[in-house]
C-alpha cells in the first residue's frame, strides 16, 4: 500500500432537513503517516466484499456533471497537489447539491485518496464515512487515530481505476456502446469500466445521492455478467484440488442460471452462483474455492451482486447448435465427451459424433426402422 495523496472534507447535513454545509479540508494530509495508511488500507480491503459489493460502470455525460472533467484534469497533472484538492472540491460541490435534494440524507466525512494497492494497481477512492463511525478526526479535519472501528460497511464510496481511466475514451455515447455490445463481442470485452461505486440502493433513494452526485453510471450489462460468470468458474476450478469437479460445477452453475432465466421474476446473484459452485464440490474441499464473493465482484470479473441473465449469451456459452441443409444438432456442451463411455462422444479419429441413445430416442429410432421394413 502506497498512499500518494489524501484529503478529508466534512459534509454537514441533518436528516429531515435540506440545509447543507461543506467544511473543506484546507491541505493534504501526510501520505506517510501511520494513521493515514491504516485508514486507506482498511477502506481498500473492505471494497468489493460482502456487504460492500461494487457496481462497475463509467461516468455519465461530462457536460452535465463537472466531476469527470476534474478527474481527467488531475490524472493529467498528478504531481500537482492543487489539482487533487480542486478535484475533491468539485466532487464535494456535486455531492452537496445532490444531498440537498433528499431530506432523509445525512452527511459525514468524505475521504479522498490516491494510492496504489498491494498489487500495484492505482486508484482514486472517494469514501463517505459517518461521523458516528468512531473514526477520530480533529476539527481541522486531520486524522487523530484510527481505532478498531467497524468499517465493515462503507456508507458509500466510488473508486476510479486510474490506468483504465487514462485508457478510456471520454465522450463515447454509452447508449451506442450498449446497443453494439449485444452484436460485437470484442467491443463488449473492451468496455471502459474504469469506475465502480458502492451504494446500497444504487442511484435510488437516500443512498443514491452520493453516486449520483459524482456522476456514476452503471455500465456492466447482463451479457458481460453472464459471460464473466463462466470465466469466474474456470478460474476457481483451475485449483488442482478442484479440477476433477469442473464439469459438475459448470453443469450446476448452468442449471442455476437457466432456472433464473426461465423464472421471469428472478435475477441471478453472486450468492446464488456461490451456492451452485459449492453444491457440486465435496464440503471438505470448499476451502479451496477461496472468497468467491470477493473474487466475483473484483476488478478482474466485475460481476454485479445481482444481474439479469442474458439468454442468448447463456445459450452460446452452454450449448452446441449446428445446422446443415439435411440435419441439425443442438445439445448441452456438458453432455459432450471424448471417450466411448460419453453420452455424446466426439470421436476425433473417426471424424464422427456418436450419441448414446436414451429410452425415448431408442424407441423413436426403432419405430422408424420397423416402419421402413413394412
Amino acid at each position: 500500500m502506497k498512499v500518494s495523496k489524501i484529503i478529508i472534507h466534512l459534509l454537514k447535513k441533518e436528516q429531515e432537513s435540506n440545509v447543507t454545509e461543506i467544511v473543506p479540508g484546507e491541505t493534504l494530509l501526510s501520505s506517510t503517516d501511520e494513521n493515514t495508511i491504516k485508514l486507506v488500507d482498511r477502506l481498500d480491503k473492505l471494497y468489493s466484499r460482502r456487504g460492500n459489493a461494487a457496481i462497475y460502470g463509467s461516468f455519465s455525460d461530462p457536460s452535465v456533471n463537472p466531476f469527470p472533467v476534474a478527474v481527467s484534469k488531475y490524472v493529467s497533472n498528478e504531481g500537482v497537489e492543487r489539482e487533487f484538492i480542486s478535484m475533491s472540491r468539485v466532487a464535494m460541490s456535486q455531492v452537496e447539491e445532490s444531498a440537498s435534494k433528499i431530506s432523509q440524507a445525512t452527511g459525514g466525512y468524505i475521504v479522498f485518496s490516491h494510492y496504489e494497492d498491494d498489487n500495484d494497481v492505482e486508484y482514486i477512492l472517494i469514501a463517505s464515512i459517518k461521523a458516528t463511525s468512531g473514526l477520530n478526526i480533529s476539527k481541522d479535519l486531520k486524522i487523530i487515530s484510527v481505532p478498531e472501528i467497524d468499517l465493515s460497511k462503507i456508507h458509500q464510496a466510488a473508486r476510479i481505476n486510474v490506468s483504465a481511466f487514462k485508457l478510456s475514451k471520454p465522450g463515447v455515447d454509452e447508449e451506442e456502446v450498449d446497443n453494439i455490445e449485444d452484436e460485437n463481442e470484442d467491443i463488449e470485452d473492451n468496455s471502459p469500466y474504469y469506475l465502480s461505486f458502492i451504494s446500497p440502493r444504487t442511484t435510488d433513494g437516500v443512498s443514491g445521492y452520493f453516486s449520483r452526485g459524482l456522476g456514476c453510471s452503471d455500465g456492466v450489462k447482463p451479457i458481460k455478467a453472464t459471460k464473466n460468470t463462466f470465466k469466474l468458474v474456470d478460474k476457481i476450478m483451475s485449483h488442482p484440488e478442484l479440477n476433477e469437479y469442473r464439469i459438475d460445477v459448470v453443469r450446476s452453475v448452468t442449471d442455476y442460471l437457466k432456472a433464473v432465466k426461465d423464472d421471469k421474476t428472478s435475477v441471478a446473484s453472486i450468492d446464488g452462483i456461490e451456492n451452485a459452485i459449492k453444491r457440486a464440490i465435496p464440503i471438505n474441499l470448499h476451502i479451496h474455492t477461496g472468497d468467491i464473493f470477493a473474487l466475483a465482484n473484483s476488478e478482474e470479473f466485475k460481476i454485479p451482486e445481482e444481474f439479469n441473465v442474458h439468454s442468448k449469451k447463456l445459450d452460446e456459452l452452454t450449448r452446441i447448435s449446428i445446422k446443415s441443409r439435411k440435419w441439425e444438432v443442438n445439445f448441452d456442451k456438458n453432455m459432450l465427451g471424448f471417450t466411448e463411455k460419453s453420452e455424446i462422444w466426439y470421436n476425433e479419429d473417426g471424424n464422427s459424433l456418436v450419441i448414446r441413445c436414451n429410452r425415448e430416442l431408442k424407441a423413436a429410432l426403432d419405430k422408424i426402422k420397423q416402419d421402413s421394413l413394412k
Side-chain angles (χ1 to χ4, degrees):
M1 168 67 64
K2 179 182 177 182
V3 179
S4 172
K5 298 179 184 68
I6 180 172
I7 193 168
I8 299 176
H9 302 299
L10 174 62
L11 175 63
K12 288 186 175 182
K13 185 182 182 301
E14 299 297 329
Q15 204 169 41
E16 305 294 348
S17 171
N18 294 101
V19 178
T20 60
E21 178 189 355
I22 294 176
V23 179
E26 298 298 334
T27 60
L28 297 181
L29 306 183
S30 169
S31 60
T32 58
D33 179 75
E34 181 182 349
N35 286 323
T36 294
I37 297 171
K38 184 177 181 180
L39 176 61
V40 176
D41 184 62
R42 292 193 67 191
L43 290 172
D44 175 73
K45 285 181 168 55
L46 289 168
Y47 210 87
S48 295
R49 296 297 191 271
R50 196 180 301 277
N52 290 323
I55 302 168
Y56 291 86
S58 55
F59 283 125
S60 54
D61 190 349
S63 67
V64 176
N65 190 311
F67 180 59
V69 176
V71 174
S72 184
K73 190 174 181 181
Y74 167 64
V75 298
S76 299
N77 301 277
E78 290 179 11
V80 183
E81 291 187 0
R82 67 174 180 273
E83 294 293 355
F84 183 80
I85 296 173
S86 174
M87 177 193 70
S88 71
R89 289 181 176 177
V90 170
M92 288 299 296
S93 176
Q94 293 302 115
V95 170
E96 179 190 28
E97 180 182 348
S98 183
S100 68
K101 298 174 182 177
I102 303 175
S103 62
Q104 293 296 315
T106 56
Y109 295 113
I110 313 294
V111 179
F112 292 80
S113 58
H114 181 185
Y115 65 97
E116 288 184 5
D117 69 4
D118 295 335
N119 297 313
D120 298 324
V121 180
E122 194 177 357
Y123 293 109
I124 296 171
L125 175 65
I126 306 112
S128 172
I129 304 174
K130 288 301 181 185
T132 56
S133 66
L135 185 62
N136 200 352
I137 302 290
S138 67
K139 289 184 178 180
D140 58 350
L141 299 175
K142 302 291 192 299
I143 303 173
I144 298 173
S145 65
V146 184
E148 293 303 316
I149 56 179
D150 181 16
L151 287 177
S152 61
K153 289 190 177 180
I154 303 170
H155 178 52
Q156 295 181 82
R159 190 169 71 174
I160 302 160
N161 182 312
V162 176
S163 296
F165 180 78
K166 288 178 178 178
L167 293 172
S168 68
K169 297 178 179 179
V172 172
D173 186 279
E174 294 296 332
E175 184 176 349
E176 181 180 340
V177 170
D178 294 347
N179 293 334
I180 295 174
E181 279 183 350
D182 285 344
E183 303 170 5
N184 192 312
E185 192 69 20
D186 293 332
I187 291 179
E188 175 214 338
D189 284 343
N190 293 314
S191 298
Y193 301 134
Y194 49 79
L195 175 69
S196 61
F197 57 97
I198 294 171
S199 190
R201 300 179 190 176
T202 62
T203 56
D204 299 321
V206 177
S207 300
Y209 78 81
F210 189 82
S211 58
R212 186 166 53 247
L214 296 177
C216 301
S217 176
D218 185 3
V220 176
K221 299 298 181 285
I223 186 172
K224 187 156 191 172
T226 302
K227 183 180 72 173
N228 282 3
T229 296
F230 289 94
K231 287 186 175 182
L232 170 74
V233 170
D234 284 342
K235 179 157 188 174
I236 293 171
M237 301 313 295
S238 66
H239 191 288
E241 295 291 334
L242 302 177
N243 193 257
E244 67 176 289
Y245 300 99
R246 183 185 178 284
I247 292 177
D248 292 335
V249 168
V250 171
R251 182 178 290 115
S252 179
V253 171
T254 299
D255 290 344
Y256 165 68
L257 293 179
K258 284 181 177 178
V260 170
K261 180 191 72 172
D262 293 340
D263 183 353
K264 305 298 183 182
T265 63
S266 296
V267 292
S269 68
I270 296 178
D271 285 340
I273 294 167
E274 180 172 357
N275 290 336
I277 291 172
K278 290 184 173 179
R279 270 199 303 269
I281 300 172
I283 293 177
N284 64 306
L285 297 180
H286 284 186
I287 189 174
H288 299 302
T289 64
D291 189 338
I292 294 176
F293 191 100
L295 183 60
N297 194 236
S298 68
E299 289 269 335
E300 182 176 0
F301 296 104
K302 299 181 175 67
I303 299 173
E305 188 170 17
E306 293 183 340
F307 63 94
N308 292 312
V309 176
H310 192 278
S311 179
K312 183 178 179 182
K313 176 58 68 175
L314 180 62
D315 286 344
E316 176 187 319
L317 292 168
T318 62
R319 298 195 67 79
I320 293 176
S321 181
I322 300 173
K323 184 177 182 180
S324 75
R325 288 184 300 169
K326 295 183 178 180
W327 52 262
E328 178 178 354
V329 293
N330 189 321
F331 59 87
D332 193 315
K333 285 183 180 179
N334 289 326
M335 305 301 293
L336 185 65
F338 305 96
T339 67
E340 292 186 33
K341 294 182 179 180
S342 303
E343 191 162 350
I344 300 178
W345 169 36
Y346 171 45
N347 181 359
E348 187 175 8
D349 293 334
N351 195 29
S352 61
L353 189 71
V354 180
I355 301 174
R356 187 179 297 276
C357 296
N358 60 18
R359 184 179 302 174
E360 291 79 11
L361 179 58
K362 184 178 186 306
L365 295 176
D366 286 345
K367 185 176 187 305
I368 292 173
K369 179 181 179 180
Q370 290 171 4
D371 291 344
S372 68
L373 297 176
K374 291 179 181 179

